[in-house]
Amino acid sequence: MGLESVMTTDVVTVDLDDTVLEVAAVFRERDVGSAVVLNAADEVCGIVTDRDLVVFGQEFVETLERTVVNQILSPVVFTATPDTDTHELARMMRDEGVRRVPVLEEGELRGIVTLDDLVVQLAEDLDNLAALIRAEPPNRVIVD
């Protein structure tokens, strides 16, 4: 199964030169904990998380109004495409140790998939499998 059914298409983005305070305001306004970071050409160059703001932002506590995202972002390790298989993406996320993956199509940002998105999909798949099992009891052969 591809990512189109699980990805979020209303991706929150910030610019590479936005300040930490501006990013925090976006997080609060949009009620999110991460954003995809775009450069001046609107290319994906990283992800910034609420954890980045807290952990790495402390280093810049005296200059938060001048500290830009570029100083604290998590650089993108990899991206996916809409036709990437969800199970393959889950393996890649595990191997890379990431929880969020931007989805690009021909270089354009189309969405984002989070670990939570994949867990929800897996739970739905398991529910469907359980329903099938309950609906069709196994054939039993009685041997004398």
Side-chain angles (χ1 to χ4, degrees):
M1 171 188 305
L3 300 180
E4 289 184 343
S5 64
V6 296
M7 71 182 185
T8 299
T9 56
D10 183 22
V11 182
V12 176
T13 63
V14 296
D15 294 328
L16 195 56
D17 59 355
D18 284 349
T19 68
V20 170
L21 293 178
E22 291 169 328
V23 172
V26 169
F27 283 8
R28 184 176 51 253
E29 290 166 13
R30 297 290 302 273
D31 192 27
V32 296
S34 67
V36 174
V37 181
L38 304 176
N39 64 19
D42 284 339
E43 298 166 328
V44 173
C45 59
I47 294 178
V48 63
T49 67
D50 48 7
R51 185 176 189 280
D52 293 330
L53 294 183
V54 172
V55 174
F56 302 114
Q58 280 193 342
E59 179 178 330
F60 304 100
V61 74
E62 300 297 324
T63 59
L64 285 179
E65 65 279 348
R66 295 185 311 275
T67 302
V68 294
V69 172
N70 190 34
Q71 294 172 278
I72 66 165
L73 70 89
S74 301
V76 171
V77 175
F78 68 91
T79 60
T81 63
D83 61 345
T84 301
D85 179 72
T86 55
H87 296 156
E88 180 60 25
L89 182 61
R91 282 188 289 278
M92 291 171 21
M93 291 172 76
R94 180 196 62 215
D95 294 346
E96 296 293 332
V98 298
R99 298 177 57 91
R100 299 161 189 88
V101 177
V103 179
L104 304 179
E105 187 171 38
E106 296 180 16
E108 297 290 321
L109 181 62
R110 295 290 181 232
I112 190 165
V113 175
T114 68
L115 184 59
D116 291 353
D117 296 329
L118 294 178
V119 169
V120 168
Q121 182 62 49
L122 176 61
E124 289 175 9
D125 291 348
L126 289 174
D127 281 344
N128 291 337
L129 183 58
L132 177 64
I133 291 169
R134 285 189 295 272
E136 296 183 22
N139 293 330
R140 300 194 190 263
V141 176
I142 299 175
V143 179
D144 291 331

